[in-house]
Amino acid sequence: MVLIFAESPRGNLKKAAFEAVTYGKKVADLLGTSCIALTLGAVKDAGELGRYGAGRVLNAADPAFNNFDSQTYAGAIADVAKSNGATVIITSHTSSGKSVAGRLAVRLGAGLVSGVNSLPEVNGGNLRVKKSVFSGKAVAEYEITSPVKVVSLMGNAVKPEVSGDPVSVEAVSANAGAGRIRVKEVKTQEGRVPLPEAEIVVSAGRGMKDPSNWGIVEELAETLGATTACSRPVADSHWRPHNEHVGQTGIAIRPNLYIAIGISGAIQHLAGVNNSKVIVVINKDSEAPFFKAADYGVVGDLFEVVPRLNAALKKFKAAH
Amino acid sequence: MKFLVCISQTPDTTAKVSFNADGTEYNAAGVQFIMNPYDEWYALVRACELREALGGTVVALNVGPAANETTIRKALAIGADEAVRINADPKSAAFTAKQIAEYARNENFDIIFLGKETIDYNGSEVGAMVAEYLDLPYVSYASKLDLDGNTATLERDIEGGVEVLEVDTPFVVSAAKGMAEQRIPNMRGIMTARTKPLKEVQPVAFDESVEAAQFTLPPAKAGVKLVDPENMDELVRLLHEEAKII
Ligand SMILES: Cc1cc2nc3c(=O)[nH]c(=O)nc-3n(C[C@H](O)[C@H](O)[C@H](O)COP(=O)(O)OP(=O)(O)OC[C@H]3O[C@@H](n4cnc5c(N)ncnc54)[C@H](O)[C@@H]3O)c2cc1C
């Protein structure tokens, strides 16, 4: 059986959970087995996971699970995995999913590969999985040889696919035990798709000259429904919040479209963004290294090009 | 207070990535190695700051061969009081985690620090594993850590925001950007680092359950298509019709 931990930050299933279930269903099909999704705490519309391929959806509703604690979560997931004879356990490769995955591996004596980005190959009793390593500069294949296996699934690696109908949610009793993490407050930026989940990212660098110039970037992002990002020096000089910093020492992302504005394309920057499907670079220096990694390039002054691109997009959106 | 900082060594961020002929091993020839930036800039520096404010000891720990001692000395130069090297060439995050946990088990550390991930294998696995071996709470991706008595207040980076939480020592924490500011070791630090204790510990046995099978380089990009800066309608058309992403 394949068990998917479908995470639900603050009670809501998000894209990461639908991706994990879609992936889990496919892994279960490859192995000729069933697929069960587990949710923890109070969750809205958990039965929806059936639409993405979960044969059964379980929920452990102990209110202690309403706040994330990797220790209590891993305990509950491991219990459900054992009592249902799970051989593969899948989490999302998110801040929470990662910390649960490592614990599960130890608790279940399982081999773990984190951040897998494609379907595994079944090789006898082993699973062969792929992930991106060296900050996107290489691809590694690993073979998991233990009887129980854990993988965490990279965001945006599979598209959520509807393959079934909602199912009714089965309550399971999993003991949260005594959690030791006390969550005091969660501060989220409302109305913005978080960077790791974003399908379109508009990113700007030192070429912007001054933080007060970011209006044109924000407007372009608004038109595209994109999330904004920045290069490291921009975050380091507090022009933008540090959670916008992408690259080798920031967040690694893989959106469908990455638009780089006034960013030179240093190797450490590319390391975090080169898995993007399509890269557009706007830079006045035709020698900027970023053009080598780009699909489309515009050599020009960003202060003219960006508003022009925004106007062209608005015209396009109005016509489509 | 007793702080453990787990440091790893990674290829320099500008290093060219290549593999041996059959793609089974990273080719380290000619590669410059550095301390993993998250370990150095955030985990180690924050541990040193807490020690400076509260007293205590910072122990830097590396699982690695003798060749890593240059990196370990750098940790001592930045401010760690002593260092431990577990003498092994780790083949996996699971192996590393097991070694760290076995060493830390009887040492009563108040906080075990790591960086949020290494920039080579990008696993983000070790911290959670160490915490599980030692039955300790784990806070990942912490961008802020303050300590008041035995209670720590942390901010943890989550998708699209931060979570503010409290936890009592002992615990394991992985450090992200924001927890501290990078420190360049000064001359005095470099001098005293030479005489600070660096202990070698032998590894414990571990059965691997993940094998690296094959490394490949991603296919090269086809080449950039340049668009006239006066004609952004054309870029929009390409994104729509050719790339099919808008
Ligand atoms: C260990 C290490 C880790 C690092 N990690 C990261 C990381 O994670 N992420 C990251 O981003 N960097 C990282 N860096 C820094 C990286 O090496 C570069 O210094 C940084 O990415 C440069 O940022 P930038 O492109 O915004 O600025 P610059 O390199 O200064 O580039 C600005 C660009 O804007 C262009 N420009 C200027 N004016 C205009 C205009 N009017 N119109 C159009 N274009 C214009 C210029 O031609 C130039 O190409 C790291 C460095 C080290 C040593």
Side-chain angles (χ1 to χ4, degrees), chain A residues 41 91 107 112 121 131 185-186 199 207 216 283 316:
Chain A
T91 74
R107 198 173 273 241
L112 162 67
E121 247 174 71
K131 68 175 282 194
E185 191 188 351
V186 178
E199 294 188 352
I216 53 172
N283 197 305
F316 168 83

Side-chain angles (χ1 to χ4, degrees), chain A:
Chain A
M1 189 273 284
V2 173
L3 178 67
I4 301 130
F5 163 52
E7 65 178 52
S8 49
R10 293 164 297 289
N12 296 304
L13 294 166
K14 306 229 295 192
K15 197 167 119 194
F18 303 136
E19 289 174 350
V21 172
T22 301
Y23 181 82
K25 159 76 173 145
K26 292 186 181 191
V27 174
D29 287 349
L30 276 177
L31 296 170
T33 182
S34 62
C35 134
I36 300 180
L38 171 66
T39 57
L40 296 176
V43 184
K44 250 200 320 244
D45 302 327
E48 281 294 296
L49 293 171
R51 302 199 326 123
Y52 298 92
R56 292 168 64 197
V57 176
L58 314 180
N59 175 257
D62 187 328
F65 292 127
N66 291 345
N67 281 321
F68 177 73
D69 180 339
S70 61
Q71 208 163 15
T72 57
Y73 271 48
I77 299 165
D79 286 350
V80 172
K82 278 191 216 145
S83 57
N84 289 279
T87 53
V88 180
I89 302 159
I90 296 167
T91 74
S92 303
H93 195 60
T94 51
S95 58
S96 303
K98 289 178 217 183
S99 36
V100 166
R103 285 194 180 267
L104 286 173
V106 170
R107 198 173 273 241
L108 299 169
L112 162 67
V113 177
S114 63
V116 301
N117 58 20
S118 58
L119 275 180
E121 247 174 71
V122 181
N123 188 2
N126 298 351
L127 275 190
R128 208 176 156 111
V129 293
K130 273 191 195 167
K131 68 175 282 194
S132 165
V133 290
F134 293 96
S135 307
K137 289 180 234 171
V139 178
E141 274 180 71
Y142 291 99
E143 190 137 329
I144 314 179
T145 56
S146 47
V148 178
K149 302 163 179 77
V150 181
V151 298
S152 65
L153 176 68
M154 197 70 182
N156 280 355
V158 298
K159 253 196 164 9
E161 265 171 43
V162 171
S163 61
D165 295 311
V167 297
S168 52
V169 179
E170 304 167 45
V172 288
S173 63
N175 190 354
R180 289 181 272 178
I181 303 258
R182 305 181 289 277
V183 176
K184 293 288 165 188
E185 191 188 351
V186 178
K187 302 186 223 170
T188 52
Q189 289 161 311
E190 292 304 324
R192 270 270 163 95
V193 184
L195 259 184
E197 291 166 25
E199 294 188 352
I200 304 185
V201 173
V202 173
S203 184
R206 231 164 23 188
M208 296 295 295
K209 307 279 191 295
D210 192 90
S212 64
N213 293 333
W214 244 263
I216 53 172
V217 173
E218 299 271 6
E219 281 160 26
L220 181 62
E222 177 79 44
T223 307
L224 283 164
T227 301
T228 48
C230 69
S231 67
R232 178 175 161 217
V234 162
D236 281 354
S237 17
H238 305 288
W239 289 7
R240 300 293 293 175
H242 80 79
N243 57 12
E244 279 199 3
H245 161 193
V246 291
Q248 189 156 23
T249 50
I251 301 174
I253 52 172
R254 43 187 303 143
N256 291 334
L257 175 59
Y258 183 74
I259 304 185
I261 301 167
I263 301 176
S264 58
I267 189 161
Q268 298 95 353
H269 184 87
L270 296 181
V273 304
N274 57 6
N275 276 326
S276 308
K277 291 202 182 81
V278 173
I279 296 179
V280 174
V281 169
I282 301 172
N283 197 305
K284 68 175 180 189
D285 174 9
S286 64
E287 300 288 305
F290 219 144
F291 285 115
K292 289 205 182 69
D295 299 281
Y296 301 102
V298 183
V299 180
D301 186 343
L302 68 90
F303 295 104
E304 292 165 16
V305 172
V306 173
R308 206 175 282 146
L309 174 59
N310 190 29
L313 279 163
K314 280 192 167 153
K315 198 165 75 186
F316 168 83
K317 296 252 151 153
H320 285 79

Side-chain angles (χ1 to χ4, degrees), chain B residues 9-245:
Chain B
Q9 182 171 283
T10 59
D12 179 34
T13 54
T14 55
K16 206 168 155 52
V17 174
S18 67
F19 302 96
N20 65 357
D22 59 358
T24 51
E25 251 177 56
Y26 177 70
N27 178 10
V31 171
Q32 180 83 29
F33 284 89
I34 57 168
M35 199 184 320
N36 183 47
Y38 297 110
D39 309 353
E40 178 188 330
W41 301 348
Y42 312 126
L44 177 60
V45 174
R46 190 64 191 134
C48 291
E49 287 170 355
L50 290 173
R51 189 260 337 264
E52 283 152 17
L54 309 166
T57 314
V58 174
V59 181
L61 168 76
N62 173 254
V63 183
N68 288 13
E69 292 197 355
T70 319
T71 296
I72 300 172
R73 289 282 171 207
K74 183 171 185 196
L76 293 169
I78 288 172
D81 300 289
E82 49 190 88
V84 174
R85 182 175 63 82
I86 299 179
N87 185 30
D89 198 357
K91 290 279 175 275
S92 69
F95 176 91
T96 307
K98 173 77 178 172
Q99 304 308 325
I100 295 170
E102 286 313 315
Y103 169 74
R105 195 176 290 283
N106 301 313
E107 292 284 328
N108 298 314
F109 289 106
D110 294 288
I111 305 180
I112 299 178
F113 288 85
L114 312 85
K116 75 164 189 181
E117 66 177 34
T118 56
I119 60 169
D120 48 7
Y121 294 99
N122 308 111
S124 227
E125 297 167 12
V126 176
M129 289 177 168
V130 169
E132 186 64 26
Y133 278 121
L134 299 176
D135 192 23
L136 291 178
Y138 175 51
V139 183
S140 63
Y141 285 37
S143 50
K144 199 161 186 247
L145 190 173
D146 290 315
L147 199 53
D148 183 5
N150 289 324
T151 301
T153 304
L154 297 109
E155 290 192 8
R156 176 173 88 96
D157 286 352
I158 56 173
E159 286 67 24
V162 291
E163 193 174 84
V164 185
L165 56 91
E166 258 178 31
V167 63
D168 297 332
T169 58
F171 62 89
V172 180
V173 60
S174 83
K177 180 168 188 174
M179 189 187 272
E181 299 274 347
Q182 183 179 4
R183 266 189 197 179
I184 311 292
N186 58 23
M187 209 51 210
R188 204 178 140 259
I190 296 169
M191 297 304 287
T192 52
R194 292 192 190 146
T195 53
K196 285 179 179 172
L198 195 173
K199 189 165 89 183
E200 183 184 322
V201 172
Q202 295 313 313
V204 295
F206 181 73
D207 286 329
E208 297 283 358
S209 47
V210 175
E211 288 161 18
Q214 187 77 42
F215 293 100
T216 45
L217 297 174
K221 283 257 177 189
V224 61
K225 193 175 257 186
L226 290 179
V227 182
D228 177 3
E230 302 291 335
N231 191 356
M232 286 298 99
D233 290 325
E234 173 62 5
L235 178 58
V236 173
R237 186 192 70 77
L238 287 167
L239 292 177
H240 178 59
E241 290 176 11
E242 192 177 84
K244 298 190 170 55
I245 40 173

